[in-house]
Structures are given as C-alpha cells and as structure tokens.
Amino acid sequence: MSAEKARAKRLWDNYGLTVEEWETILEFQRGVCFICGKKQKSGKRLATDHRHSDGLARGLLCSQCNRLLGRIEATFGINIIELLSRVVEYLLGPPAVAALGRQVFGYAGRTGTKKHRKFLKRLKVRKEKKLKAVTPVIPLVAGKKAR
C-alpha cells in the first residue's frame, strides 16, 4: 500500500475524514496550528485533533498543543471549557489582588532556579549593606557598658 493510500485509510478510519476534507481544514487554518498559530516544528503535518468522548474531529494542532490539550483533558476530565474559563478568570482577575486590595510583586521568573538563588544572594548582600549604613554605632565609654 502506498504512503498516500495509507494516510487516506488512517484519516478515514480514525477521524472519518477524507484527505480532501483534511486539506480543507488545513487551508481554513492557513496551514498553522489553530491554538498557537505556528507551523509544526518538525516539518511534519499538523496532528488531527479529535474529542475522545465521541470522536468529533475538531481541527489541526501542532504536536505541542495537541499533547497539552490531551494532558489537560486526561487530568481534569472532559469539561475543559469550564476549566479554561476559570483559568481565564484567574489570569484576568488574580484572587490575591482582590483579597489584598493591591498588587504585590515578587521575583519576576521561575523560583528555585539557579538564576533565582543568585538573585536572592544579591538581595541579601544589599539588605546587609543597608542595615550597616542605618545601624548607629554607639561608642563605649571606658569601663562602662552601653545602655
């Protein structure tokens, strides 16, 4: 069996799509992943995404977005729409800001990394220098303790 015939059979058997229909979806998506808007990195074709609960062919995704969507669905169940709506709500209106009534900023980056530890070390040195500059030196009078 030729590679094209095998592809046609796989598309039909797995997704109920003809090669022409798959190409129509690809053209509709302008040749890129629907989620991230990028071409497949490996140079291969985009993955045909489908809903596992009923087999609905949803569109074409790059391998990264297809894996991400699969992990989300496997971890949180089929009600992904509600989950993603909550993610959007969380990102647009962080509960910490609402609870505190102000924005609080910390380290801008991933914590626990080598870069973060280096930052913390520099911060500690700066803090120590400030304390030395602010701490008054009380001279001792000979034979008497400072109060």
Side-chain angles (χ1 to χ4, degrees):
M1 184 182 295
S2 73
E4 277 305 310
K5 280 188 178 182
R7 177 175 176 237
K9 181 172 176 24
R10 192 171 47 255
L11 282 172
W12 182 256
D13 290 348
N14 295 331
Y15 310 109
L17 293 172
T18 65
V19 172
E20 293 77 24
E21 289 171 326
W22 191 94
E23 294 293 336
T24 300
I25 298 167
L26 181 67
E27 189 177 314
F28 179 81
Q29 291 184 205
R30 296 188 175 109
V32 296
C33 170
F34 189 83
I35 293 176
C36 70
K38 296 178 183 174
K39 289 186 179 272
Q40 179 76 296
K41 284 183 180 176
S42 64
K44 294 181 180 180
R45 290 185 182 98
L46 292 168
T48 306
D49 176 58
H50 70 291
R51 191 166 54 203
H52 290 200
S53 62
D54 61 6
L56 173 70
R58 296 188 284 206
L60 308 177
L61 303 176
C62 69
S63 55
Q64 285 182 310
C65 290
N66 194 36
R67 273 195 311 273
L68 174 66
L69 187 58
R71 283 188 194 133
I72 291 170
E73 287 178 333
T75 303
F76 298 102
I78 299 303
N79 197 356
I80 192 168
I81 303 300
E82 185 179 326
L83 173 75
L84 293 177
S85 295
R86 301 238 348 149
V87 169
V88 169
E89 180 184 347
Y90 177 84
L91 294 174
L92 291 177
V97 174
L100 299 173
R102 65 185 180 94
Q103 294 179 328
V104 179
F105 294 91
Y107 178 71
R110 289 182 59 192
T111 58
T113 61
K114 194 174 184 179
K115 187 176 177 181
H116 178 243
R117 287 188 296 275
K118 194 174 179 180
F119 169 80
L120 291 176
K121 198 173 186 178
R122 283 195 312 263
L123 196 64
K124 185 178 177 184
V125 169
R126 282 188 203 148
K127 203 180 226 182
E128 287 170 356
K129 284 182 181 178
K130 271 187 181 179
L131 284 175
K132 283 181 185 177
V134 177
T135 307
V137 178
I138 303 172
L140 292 176
V141 180
K144 292 187 178 180
K145 288 184 181 177
R147 293 185 201 189

